[in-house]
Amino acid sequence: MRVEVDQPKCVASGQCVLIAPEVFDQDDDGFVELLTDRPEPGQYDGVKESAVVCPAAAIRLAED
Amino acid sequence: MTETLADTAAGPLEHPMPRAAGCPFDPPPALMALQTDSPISRVRIWDGTSPWLITRHDHLRTLLGDPRVSADPTRPGYPHRTAGMKASDQARQTFLTMDDPEHARLRRMVTAPFAVKKVEALRPSVQKIVDDLIDGMLAGPKPVDLVEAFALPVPSLVICELLGVPYEDHDLFQRNTKVVVRRTSTSEEVLAAQRELADYLDDLLTVKRARPADDLLSVLATERVATGEMTQRHAAETGVLLLAAGHETTANMIALGTLALLRNPDQLALLRDAEDPKTVAGAVEELLRYLNITHSGRRRVALEDIEVGGEVIRAGDGIIFANDIANRDPEAFPEPDRLDISRDARRHVAFGYGVHQCLGQPLARLELQVVYSTLYSRIPTLALATGFDQVEFKHDGIVYGVYELPVTW
Ligand code: SF4
């Protein structure tokens, strides 16, 4: 699985950081930053949930 | 075809409408029924207009994420909550009532202190605020009104610290905020209250600009107003928004949540005995879903014709998003009317959805986690000091909750 974030869309709600802190972080202004675009299989659930919960649809998942 | 509730002889249902007697945590049954019978239908509001009411979780998320749906209350067709809100929304605009790209530009100026890690760093000071207030309650007489003694001061103290507003002035901003969120306030009353709040913050910004401290108003004064990116008046009005949103909502979640837990002792016991912070965090999400204090809904207006769920919402039609009803959608939450703190409720829409989703949500979560994990463990015998049917609910409030909650222990 590959993760992409569209930072200009992000509204800094912090939901992804709460759900999958190993994959997502926020910059100084609160906007999403990817820690890795290749999450471990154990992190897939959190990444998928983050993509669903993200209010701005700023998280996209792609199969390899 | 069966006739839907919305087009029976009586015409569209009223919105808002009273809840069922004895069931103050559940949305009004007739509006709930729309979710199955007619999930996108017209309702009649206070000014005689008939905007659409969106009640299903999936429709709500689709439409609130759609850029053809505008949050601008100055557009014709926008379904205002009350006469007072109409006047105030038209008199001044903050990012809350703007569309992108202006909304994004202005919102970005205030997001920094609400990032998860910065909010998390406040946990010790929030814990101290909560502990001190509980100490005060335990040392004082009982019964006591939990709203006055605890539910309101917690978020008020926290948001004051974050913004850099002296808490000593809380009478001024609590009195005025009450007027703003009361459904029965007249336009004049709301405008006057808002003006008093904005004048107060305007003066404070002048002070901060001369003597900045480590708080959000100082950042706005020195980095945004001083550089001409924002006018001082706009910064003051943004401050009013954060100050008001920061305490009315969380205060109602604390008091109403306490009542809901006292009414569900098995859930309260689960929460009280929880050792894993994840259990507490999950309980907070479930209470946000179940209580839905934002019962007056999100308000929008369509910019273009939009087809959804077999209906066409026309350009210029008003739309009300019923978060409370969407959070009881069985498609999204099995057995939705049950308070179950162990369920996964993260998809709730209590903070809204789309680009306007609540900016302060990490702070609200932190406060509620500290409150719910501390209050019942420190006062295990906490109990309602009055009859359940004596409790007065804010049916007339823009934010739902209780006026008073007499408790003892
Ligand atoms: S959930 Fe979405 S909007 Fe919120 S911080 Fe993450 S990417 Fe940004």
Side-chain angles (χ1 to χ4, degrees):
Chain A
M1 181 197 276
R2 210 178 64 243
V3 196
E4 284 168 16
V5 291
D6 189 347
Q7 218 211 25
K9 275 179 139 186
C10 171
V11 296
S13 71
Q15 306 236 66
C16 55
V17 184
L18 286 172
I19 297 171
E22 326 77 30
V23 180
F24 303 102
D25 199 356
Q26 283 166 298
D27 67 13
D28 280 346
D29 288 326
F31 298 99
V32 65
E33 269 181 354
L34 262 187
L35 297 175
T36 167
D37 60 353
R38 299 265 170 194
E40 304 288 327
Q43 298 164 342
Y44 285 4
D45 282 354
V47 171
K48 284 187 199 153
E49 183 66 12
S50 299
V52 173
V53 168
C54 173
I59 300 170
R60 263 194 318 271
L61 310 180
E63 292 306 322
D64 285 300
Chain B
M1 241 188 73
T2 52
E3 198 179 38
T4 61
L5 259 178
D7 51 37
T8 49
L13 293 169
E14 296 282 335
H15 184 277
M17 58 164 58
R19 301 174 187 230
C23 233
F25 302 120
D26 296 343
L31 292 179
M32 274 298 291
L34 289 179
Q35 194 174 67
T36 19
D37 299 340
S38 179
I40 298 178
S41 53
R42 300 247 184 201
V43 288
R44 194 170 45 239
I45 63 172
W46 65 277
D47 61 359
T49 61
S50 299
W52 298 94
L53 187 74
I54 309 300
T55 51
R56 263 175 55 167
H57 189 261
D58 58 344
H59 293 159
L60 181 140
R61 291 180 17 131
T62 304
L63 284 169
L64 276 178
D66 192 322
R68 294 172 297 173
V69 168
S70 166
D72 180 356
T74 62
R75 288 181 184 275
Y78 181 94
H80 296 275
R81 285 187 177 85
T82 64
M85 291 286 277
K86 179 174 181 178
S88 92
D89 279 345
Q90 288 176 341
R92 42 135 232 168
Q93 281 203 282
T94 59
F95 61 85
L96 187 69
T97 53
M98 292 177 187
D99 295 328
D100 284 342
E102 205 46 15
H103 155 263
R105 190 179 76 82
L106 292 165
R107 176 169 164 139
R108 281 179 170 246
M109 294 185 190
V110 291
T111 43
F114 298 101
V116 169
K117 282 182 186 156
K118 291 208 188 114
V119 166
E120 194 51 46
L122 297 175
R123 191 178 284 269
S125 51
V126 173
Q127 184 70 54
K128 177 156 185 348
I129 286 171
V130 167
D131 280 326
D132 288 352
L133 287 166
I134 294 176
D135 287 343
M137 266 172 67
L138 291 173
K142 54 184 180 179
V144 66
D145 173 19
L146 190 85
V147 174
E148 198 66 39
F150 185 71
L152 201 52
V154 171
S156 218
L157 282 157
V158 174
I159 196 69
C160 282
E161 196 169 310
L162 195 140
L163 285 175
V165 170
Y167 184 71
E168 298 79 74
D169 298 334
H170 70 278
D171 272 349
L172 180 138
F173 52 76
Q174 283 174 357
R175 174 167 42 81
N176 286 304
T177 309
K178 249 183 216 159
V179 175
V180 174
V181 299
R182 196 173 54 213
R183 206 178 267 162
T184 50
S185 298
T186 65
S187 312
E188 292 72 33
E189 286 169 337
V190 171
L191 287 177
Q194 226 135 30
R195 204 165 27 240
E196 196 175 337
L197 283 167
D199 288 346
Y200 168 73
L201 283 166
D202 211 323
D203 292 346
L204 205 51
L205 281 161
T206 306
V207 174
K208 300 276 177 189
R209 199 162 155 180
R211 272 176 284 120
D214 183 19
D215 55 53
L216 182 56
L217 287 182
S218 296
V219 172
L220 287 180
T222 57
E223 289 174 23
R224 306 298 187 183
V225 178
T227 57
E229 266 186 283
M230 226 185 210
T231 62
Q232 178 148 324
R233 195 62 186 178
H234 190 90
E237 274 160 1
T238 303
V240 172
L241 171 68
L242 298 176
L243 186 61
H247 73 264
E248 257 302 316
T249 45
T250 312
N252 283 302
M253 272 301 299
I254 294 173
L256 194 63
T258 299
L259 182 62
L261 287 163
L262 292 174
R263 295 289 284 176
N264 290 272
D266 57 323
Q267 298 296 308
L268 177 53
L270 273 179
L271 178 60
R272 188 191 296 132
D273 301 339
E275 266 157 30
D276 186 352
K278 281 204 179 112
T279 309
V280 177
V284 166
E285 299 308 314
E286 172 64 350
L287 284 158
L288 285 162
R289 179 195 75 84
Y290 179 77
L291 295 172
N292 259 296
I293 56 158
T294 59
H295 70 157
S296 53
R298 295 293 193 274
R299 310 285 169 129
R300 297 287 189 272
V301 56
L303 296 178
E304 295 171 29
D305 292 357
I306 304 170
E307 214 185 312
V308 62
E311 295 283 350
V312 180
I313 295 176
R314 298 275 171 209
D317 284 354
I319 314 172
I320 300 176
F321 292 91
N323 331 33
D324 52 346
I325 300 173
N327 274 345
R328 298 297 184 95
D329 187 338
E331 297 286 332
F333 309 100
E335 287 192 77
D337 297 334
R338 207 156 60 86
L339 176 68
D340 172 7
I341 65 160
S342 55
R343 81 161 82 220
D344 181 0
R346 274 187 303 217
R347 295 183 187 192
H348 70 73
V349 288
F351 291 120
Y353 191 76
V355 296
H356 287 279
Q357 196 182 56
C358 176
L359 168 70
Q361 57 182 301
L363 186 60
R365 289 193 162 98
L366 171 71
E367 291 175 29
L368 295 174
Q369 287 168 8
V370 174
V371 161
Y372 292 137
S373 65
T374 308
L375 184 61
Y376 318 104
S377 58
R378 290 214 42 208
I379 318 182
T381 55
L382 191 78
L384 198 56
T386 181
F388 182 65
D389 46 6
Q390 306 295 302
V391 178
E392 258 196 86
F393 293 89
K394 293 182 179 169
H395 291 291
D396 63 343
I398 288 171
V399 178
Y400 190 62
V402 292
Y403 285 103
E404 283 179 12
L405 195 69
V407 293
T408 189
W409 52 87

